[in-house]
Structure formats: structure tokens, C-alpha cells
């Protein structure tokens, strides 16, 4: 059996050399340009960060280390973690070794429960989750080693320890939050014989007679794991970690970004929107009713949650995986049927606005209806599930940024005066017929 640390230790020297050679040989080559609208528009589309754990081509969607997500969606989350970190799927012995390692690291200290217990009962589950991570900061192996003098070449090793400790603990923390927040009774202890995802399902304590909820959770935890860098949760984690703030600070920051309605909270908003739609029309709506409701949402100045994307220009393949799961496991569920009807109509409605760049569903459009069907009905908890999964990607990314000795993230801002001056003398990136 080979450990993750051993595989990474073998891979890192060559990866470092590759990055060094690239910088040395081609450091001055132009790879992108930046237009005024990109500066004003959330830096959309600027190629300015390297990330090898996954990529998101606009016309294909998530590719994890060369594998289109649909092709690895049936894998266990631990297999995906190994893939994200090493670029390869683990053999059986390595997978079992990783599972045992995570189980051994999974204890959430008692003070965390005390801190969460002191928070107001109406705290959002994401606030509890982020606080739970942040208050464990004193456990950081990176910070202890750094304070005792650590060479830059070695930063990745304690970052890997922090990553594995966080990943091991997030299901325990998140399940504890679920049980506390929704008065489900005492926390359920982890079962060390179960895999990471099955254990999370077990600790949530949702009745699962046929194992379908566990199956859904496995899928959920794989599909949300990573989405290149550039999305708010990954980029926040990356930026904070670049200051050598350890992964507890960084991942907590990433979760704070995930908690926004334009990012991870859209899954909560999406279920609410679907349920409101059904309540409004007294059950699964007709095509015309969906159109009316979507138009009313837009007229009220709101977005339709679960649709649109900053990068994708096609239906999110992660949506497709969830959709196929629903068609197989609960095709007649009225909430899922409503999601399916919305999928038929909303892209047209969004296209009619003439401004939405991607009218297609993203990862959040179907997941809530499935969780709802299998008994996890508390929509305000859904973003926590996203965060548990996202720990796999952003922590793997951090290990590699430290391995490649990535510098402090510090782009340049400009004043409006400067931008106006540049704009007036600059050339247009568009062809004459596009203007
Ligand atoms: N409903 C209504 N309007 C939309 C939508 C939507 N689903 N998507 C984009 N638009 C609007 C957008 O608000 C903007 O309007 P304005 O010019 O008046 O400010 C215009 O269309 C152009 O936006 P885009 O360039 O298409 O999208 P952008 O890259 O700025 O934003 C999202 C991407 C994801 C923030 C946006 O599509 C959105 O708000 N979607 C709904 C929320 C959502 O589902 N978020 C989850 C994304 C996935 N995730 O899990 O993180
Ligand atoms: C994600 O999974 O992070 C979302 O789809 C948002 C994004 O990629 O910008």
C-alpha cells in the first residue's frame, strides 16, 4: 500500500521543475488580454490562475484530472480525493489505507460543540459550519510547524495533514450541526467500518431502508467536490491560504463565500423556489404556469436559482447526473417532476431576456428535490452538504499550491480615472461586425 504522502512526495519534484521551466523559458509570453468589461465585470473569463485538480471548459463542464465528471460520478468520494490530489484513481489497498487514515483523524474536539452550542438557535447552518472549522484553527499542524521554522519546500506536508484532518472531520461536524439545528436528538457516533460518505449519511440519522439516500449522498459528495479555481469558494480559500494563513482559516473563508445565494446557497434557494411554485399553483404546475412564475420572478428583479453560470455555456453535466438519478429513483415525485418541468421551460424564458449568457441549469437545479424526496427536507442545510464536498477540492488545491510554492495572491486594482484613460486609448477586443 502506498500513502498519499508518499505518492505526492514522488510527484512534487517533477511538477515543481515543470512550473519553474515554464516560468523561466516563457515567463514573458502573453496568454490573455483584459478588457474594460472584464475589469468592471467580476474578472469573468480572465485566465489568471493555474489549477490542475480540475478544469471547466465552457462547452463541457467539470473534468476532474482528465475524467469528465459523468464518467467518475459513480466513484466513492475518497477515490475522488485521491484522484484530485494525485491525478490517479487509487488501488484497493491505497483506498482502504486512506479510509483508515481519515477514520483515525475524524474526532471533532469537544470545545467545538461547546462553541456551537453557545451560538443563537437561529444561526444559519453555514455560519455554524464555518465557525466550527475556524474554531479548530489551534489544531493546525501547518501553523505549529511554521512557528517552529519550516522551509518553503516543506509547506505542503503539514498542509496535507491539515487537509486530511479537515476532510476527516467535516462529515462529523456537519452531521452534528444537522442534529443540533433541527432538534434531531443526540449526535450519532461515526462508524469506522463505513466509508466517508456512508458515514456522513449514518451520522445524519435519516431513515434509509433501501440505501438510496446513501447512494444520493455519495453522488452529491462527488459532484460538488471541485470546480477548478476561480469559483468563489475555491478562490477565497486559495487567496487566504496564499498569505500562509493555514487551511482552517482558508477553508472557513471559502465556506463563507459558498454561503452566498449566487454561489452555494443557490441550492437552498432553488428548493424554496420550486416549493413556492408548487404552493402557488397547488401542486406540480403546468408548462404555462412555470412560464408565468418564472416571468414574475424576473419581473420582481430576482434571479431564477439553479440557472445560469459564470463559466458554463451548456447544461451542467453535474445537473445531468442528478437528473438521471431522479429519473431512475423517484421519477413520479411531484417535486422532482416540477424540477423536470422547470428544466423544459426556464431556459426559454431566460433566453428571452436577451442578457443571460447561460440559460441552462447548473449543479443546484435538481439536487434539492432529490434530497427532499429521500428525507432531508431542511433546505437551509443544503449548502452545508455542498461545503462538505467542496472540502475535497479546495483542500487538495491548497496542498498543490503549497507544493508548487505558489506566491502570495495579489493582483493589481486600478482607479476609475486610470481605467477611463486606458479605455479611451485602447483597442477593441471585438471584431467590427460584433460591435
Ligand atoms: N436568473 C435571472 N437572471 C440571471 C440569471 C438567472 N438565473 N443568470 C444570469 N442572470 C442575469 C444576471 O443577473 C445579469 O443581469 P444584469 O446584467 O441585470 O446584472 C445578466 O443575466 C448577465 O449575467 P451572466 O453574465 O449571464 O451571469 P454571471 O456570470 O454574471 O452570473 C450567476 C452567474 C451564477 C451568478 C448567475 O447566472 C445567477 O445569478 N444564477 C442564479 C443563482 C445560481 O444558480 N447560482 C449558483 C451557481 C452555481 N453554484 O453552485 O455556485
Ligand atoms: C461551483 O461548483 O463552484 C459553481 O458551479 C460555481 C462556479 O464554478 O463558478
Amino acid at each position: 500500500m502506498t500513502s498519499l504522502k508518499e505518492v505526492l512526495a514522488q510527484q512534487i519534484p517533477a511538477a515543481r521543475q515543470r512550473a519553474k521551466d515554464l516560468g523561466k523559458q516563457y515567463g514573458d509570453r502573453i496568454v490573455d488580454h483584459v478588457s474594460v468589461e472584464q475589469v468592471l465585470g467580476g474578472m469573468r473569463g480572465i485566465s489568471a490562475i493555474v489549477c490542475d485538480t480540475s478544469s471547466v471548459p465552457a462547452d463541457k463542464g467539470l473534468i476532474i484530472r482528465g475524467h469528465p465528471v459523468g464518467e467518475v460520478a459513480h466513484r466513492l468520494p475518497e477515490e475522488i480525493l485521491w484522484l484530485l490530489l494525485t491525478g490517479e484513481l487509487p488501488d484497493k489497498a491505497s483506498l482502504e489505507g486512506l479510509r483508515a487514515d481519515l477514520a483515525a483523524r475524524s474526532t471533532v474536539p469537544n470545545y467545538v460543540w461547546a462553541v456551537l452550542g453557545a451560538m443563537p438557535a437561529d444561526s444559519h447552518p453555514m455560519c455554524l459550519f464555518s465557525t466550527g472549522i475556524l474554531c479548530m484553527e489551534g489544531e493546525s499542524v501547518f501553523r505549529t510547524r511554521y512557528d517552529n521554522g519550516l522551509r518553503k519546500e516543506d509547506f505542503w506536508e503539514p498542509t496535507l495533514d491539515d487537509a486530511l484532518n479537515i476532510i476527516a472531520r467535516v462529515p462529523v461536524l456537519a452531521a452534528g450541526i444537522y442534529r443540533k439545528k433541527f432538534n434531531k436528538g443526540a449526535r450519532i457516533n461515526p462508524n469506522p467500518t463505513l466509508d466517508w460518505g456512508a458515514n456522513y449519511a449514518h451520522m445524519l440519522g435519516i431513515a434509509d431502508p433501501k440505501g438510496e439516500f446513501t447512494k444520493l449522498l455519495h453522488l452529491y459528495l462527488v459532484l460538488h467536490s471541485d470546480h477548478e479555481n476561480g469559483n468563489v469558494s475555491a478562490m477565497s480559500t486559495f487567496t487566504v491560504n496564499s498569505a500562509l494563513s493555514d487551511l482552517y482559516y482558508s477553508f472557513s473563508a471559502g465556506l463563507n463565500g459558498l454561503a452566498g445565494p449566487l454561489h452555494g446557497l443557490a441550492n437552498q434557494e432553488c428548493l424554496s423556489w420550486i416549493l413556492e411554485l408548487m404552493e402557488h399553483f397547488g401542486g406540480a404546475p403546468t408548462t404555462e404556469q412555470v412560464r408565468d412564475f418564472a416571468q414574475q420572478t424576473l419581473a420582481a428583479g430576482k434571479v431564477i436559482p439553479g440557472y445560469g453560470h459564470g463559466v458554463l455555456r451548456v447544461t451542467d453535466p453535474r445537473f445531468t447526473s442528478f437528473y438521471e438519478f431522479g429519473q431512475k429513483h423517484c421519477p413520479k415525485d411531484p417535486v422532482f417532476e416540477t424540477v423536470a418541468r422547470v428544466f423544459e421551460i426556464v431556459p426559454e424564458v431566460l433566453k428571452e431576456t436577451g442578457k443571460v449568457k447561460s440559460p441552462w441549469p447548473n449543479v443546484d437545479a435538481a439536487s434539492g428535490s432529490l434530497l427532499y424526496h429521500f428525507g432531508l427536507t431542511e433546505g437551509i442545510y443544503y449548502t452545508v452538504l455542498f461545503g462538505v464536498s467542496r472540502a475535497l477540492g479546495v483542500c487538495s488545491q491548497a496542498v498543490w499550491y503549497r507544493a508548487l510554492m505558489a506566491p502570495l495572491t495579489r493582483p493589481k486594482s486600478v482607479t476609475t480615472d486610470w481605467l477611463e484613460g486606458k479605455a479611451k486609448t485602447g483597442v477593441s477586443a471585438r471584431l467590427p461586425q460584433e460591435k
Side-chain angles (χ1 to χ4, degrees):
M1 181 196 82
T2 326
S3 74
L4 263 178
K5 199 171 258 182
E6 286 163 343
V7 179
L8 289 170
Q10 279 162 15
Q11 293 182 347
I12 286 168
R16 270 186 193 156
Q17 195 57 45
R18 187 177 174 202
K20 199 171 162 193
D21 291 347
L22 190 59
K24 206 166 157 192
Q25 269 184 281
Y26 301 109
D28 64 346
R29 300 287 163 94
I30 306 289
V31 292
D32 209 345
H33 60 263
V34 181
S35 64
V36 172
E37 65 192 358
Q38 287 174 307
V39 175
L40 295 175
M43 299 187 280
R44 208 70 84 251
I46 303 171
S47 301
I49 312 169
V50 174
C51 173
D52 290 322
T53 54
S54 67
S55 59
V56 181
D59 60 341
K60 292 192 180 70
L62 177 60
I63 298 182
I64 302 179
R65 293 280 195 176
H67 300 266
V69 68
E71 289 174 17
V72 288
H74 62 287
R75 297 278 179 178
L76 287 173
E78 292 95 323
E79 293 182 281
I80 298 300
L81 172 60
W82 191 284
L83 178 65
L84 286 162
L85 275 166
T86 69
E88 287 151 20
L89 285 159
D91 59 25
K92 200 162 170 274
S94 300
L95 179 62
E96 273 163 23
L98 175 59
R99 190 178 293 169
D101 189 14
L102 291 176
R105 295 170 182 268
S106 66
T107 305
V108 171
N110 273 333
Y111 63 79
V112 175
W113 304 120
V115 170
L116 298 187
M119 288 175 70
D122 63 355
S123 302
H124 192 279
M126 280 302 282
C127 178
L128 296 170
F129 190 25
S130 176
T131 304
I133 295 293
L134 188 59
C135 77
M136 286 192 279
E137 193 279 327
E139 316 266 327
S140 170
V141 181
F142 177 87
R143 182 160 65 86
T144 308
R145 295 262 312 266
Y146 186 84
D147 288 349
N148 290 331
L150 185 66
R151 287 167 353 122
K152 200 173 185 178
E153 288 75 8
D154 298 330
F155 286 176
W156 70 272
E157 278 192 52
T159 303
L160 178 64
D161 270 315
D162 283 354
L164 293 174
N165 287 336
I166 288 174
I167 290 166
R169 291 172 188 189
V170 282
V172 182
L173 176 63
I177 289 170
Y178 178 73
R179 305 220 30 107
K180 169 190 148 53
K181 173 78 190 171
F182 304 107
N183 302 316
K184 298 285 177 181
R187 289 192 299 278
I188 299 171
N189 287 328
N191 173 349
T193 65
L194 295 176
D195 66 72
W196 190 74
N199 220 338
Y200 185 20
H202 156 75
M203 290 183 287
L204 286 167
I206 285 161
D208 189 19
K210 293 191 196 154
E212 285 172 302
F213 176 69
T214 303
K215 216 176 250 176
L216 172 61
L217 201 58
H218 276 138
L219 179 67
Y220 195 104
L221 294 171
V222 168
L223 295 182
H224 292 78
S225 59
D226 205 33
H227 216 230
E228 67 175 40
N229 195 327
N231 67 74
V232 171
S233 48
M235 203 176 156
S236 308
T237 306
F238 161 73
T239 303
V240 174
N241 195 237
S242 83
L244 303 184
S245 303
D246 61 59
L247 256 179
Y248 292 85
Y249 284 123
S250 321
F251 178 51
S252 175
L255 288 176
N256 297 340
L258 193 68
L262 296 189
H263 190 19
L265 202 84
N267 59 12
Q268 161 182 338
E269 305 257 302
C270 202
L271 181 74
S272 307
W273 191 82
I274 296 286
L275 295 180
E276 272 168 38
L277 166 63
M278 292 178 72
E279 199 184 311
H280 191 75
F281 294 109
T286 64
T287 305
E288 270 322 297
Q289 288 170 332
V290 174
R291 185 188 303 280
D292 283 356
F293 197 76
Q295 280 165 347
Q296 278 172 37
T297 303
L298 295 178
K302 298 181 193 161
V303 295
I304 299 181
Y307 282 77
H309 202 272
V311 171
L312 285 170
R313 295 295 175 260
V314 290
T315 293
D316 192 330
R318 301 171 297 173
F319 168 83
T320 307
S321 291
F322 277 131
Y323 192 74
E324 286 169 0
F325 187 98
Q327 282 178 320
K328 186 164 171 202
H329 293 274
C330 54
K332 295 280 166 237
D333 178 287
V335 182
F336 179 71
E337 278 185 331
T338 302
V339 164
R341 190 138 311 144
V342 167
F343 178 37
E344 286 166 27
I345 306 304
V346 161
E348 272 174 42
V349 175
L350 289 176
K351 274 185 210 165
E352 283 159 15
T353 66
K355 66 172 182 180
V356 179
K357 294 199 186 64
S358 177
W360 308 111
N362 60 52
V363 66
D364 295 319
S367 58
S369 66
L370 305 177
L371 293 166
Y372 196 79
H373 177 81
F374 289 107
L376 210 171
T377 54
E378 297 86 357
I380 65 164
Y381 183 76
Y382 291 173
T383 311
V384 173
L385 294 163
F386 194 153
V388 169
S389 172
R390 189 48 59 96
L392 300 174
V394 299
C395 291
S396 300
Q397 290 186 16
V399 171
W400 268 103
Y401 287 123
R402 301 287 65 81
L404 294 173
M405 299 186 284
L408 180 80
T409 304
R410 206 311 185 180
K412 181 83 187 79
S413 67
V414 295
T415 62
T416 307
D417 284 346
W418 184 95
L419 192 60
E420 270 172 357
K422 272 276 176 194
K424 284 172 189 161
T425 55
V427 290
S428 171
R430 294 204 187 95
L431 298 170
Q433 68 269 24
E434 291 174 326
K435 284 189 198 166

